[in-house]
Amino acid sequence: STKSLGNGTSETCAEFRVKYVGAIEKLQFDMSRTLQEPLDLINYIDAAQQDGKLPYVPRDEEMILGVSKYGVKVASPDQCDVLHRHSLYLIVRMLCYDDGLGAGKNLLALKTTDAKQEACSIWVYQCSSSEQAQSICKVLSASFDSALTSVK
Amino acid sequence: IYKSAVTTVVNPKYEGK
């Protein structure tokens, strides 16, 4: 469902329907250093779900996750209220993987940091399929590339 | 829980962080 709004004014270059699972905010820096490897991050999310810090099942309401050169914005379907705004330069990495519950759903884990890079946060969303998750990763990767080339 | 393929996108600004 990649829908790029060609009218130029809109910041969003691709929008996806996802569900919000939860977030673990303000992890101290030394903790965030242990979450560099993808598997460490996945295991950390697993443990958080088992400890009840993160739910297994996302909230029912679908959200619109928009990826643009500015970053990732998560808003309600009518886009009236913005739930999260992750600016591109504070996004450290994005990870997508099968949630292992057998329904083919993919989890999207977004690791962000703060401007002083002292703490990091983990934001978890659920995609309807791995294809959707892959598309989101592709668009974000393109955003990183375009941000990189524009800096030079 | 068994995890299948994992796709990672890293911000070049934080490579290795």
Side-chain angles (χ1 to χ4, degrees):
Chain A
S1 68
T2 315
K3 174 173 57 99
S4 62
L5 306 174
N7 54 18
T9 53
S10 143
E11 66 176 29
T12 305
C13 66
E15 289 177 353
F16 305 90
R17 286 185 172 280
V18 299
K19 290 183 177 175
Y20 178 49
V21 175
I24 300 165
E25 295 186 61
K26 307 248 174 339
L27 283 168
Q28 277 324 304
F29 192 72
D30 45 14
M31 181 65 206
S32 92
R33 252 212 314 277
T34 62
L35 300 177
Q36 275 181 28
E37 287 313 312
L39 283 190
D40 296 338
L41 189 47
I42 291 173
N43 292 335
Y44 183 80
I45 292 171
D46 269 0
Q49 286 175 317
Q50 281 156 37
D51 296 348
K53 279 189 249 163
L54 270 179
Y56 278 104
V57 179
R59 295 178 211 171
D60 235 4
E61 193 205 359
E62 265 197 344
M63 311 296 286
I64 303 290
L65 183 141
V67 184
S68 73
K69 60 180 180 173
Y70 300 110
V72 172
K73 183 180 79 171
V74 180
S76 55
D78 53 19
Q79 308 238 17
C80 282
D81 36 284
V82 177
L83 188 68
H84 301 141
R85 192 181 289 277
H86 308 302
S87 36
L88 195 70
Y89 80 102
L90 294 179
I91 296 173
V92 177
R93 68 179 60 235
M94 176 186 273
L95 204 59
C96 78
Y97 60 97
D98 187 299
D99 69 4
L101 302 179
K105 296 267 193 287
N106 262 202
L107 286 184
L108 204 70
L110 205 60
K111 182 179 171 190
T112 61
T113 184
D114 53 35
K116 290 194 218 91
Q117 293 178 31
E118 279 160 3
C120 81
S121 301
I122 312 289
W123 311 82
V124 186
Y125 305 94
Q126 184 194 63
C127 299
S128 50
S129 70
S130 67
E131 290 74 24
Q132 185 194 44
Q134 302 287 338
S135 310
I136 295 173
C137 285
K138 273 198 196 90
V139 178
L140 183 65
S141 182
S143 296
F144 285 146
D145 294 344
S146 75
L148 208 59
T149 46
S150 65
V151 164
K152 282 201 183 68
Chain B
I1 298 176
Y2 166 70
K3 293 288 175 239
S4 63
V6 176
T7 305
T8 308
V9 177
V10 180
N11 187 340
K13 182 178 151 102
Y14 300 96
E15 209 78 50
K17 278 219 173 87

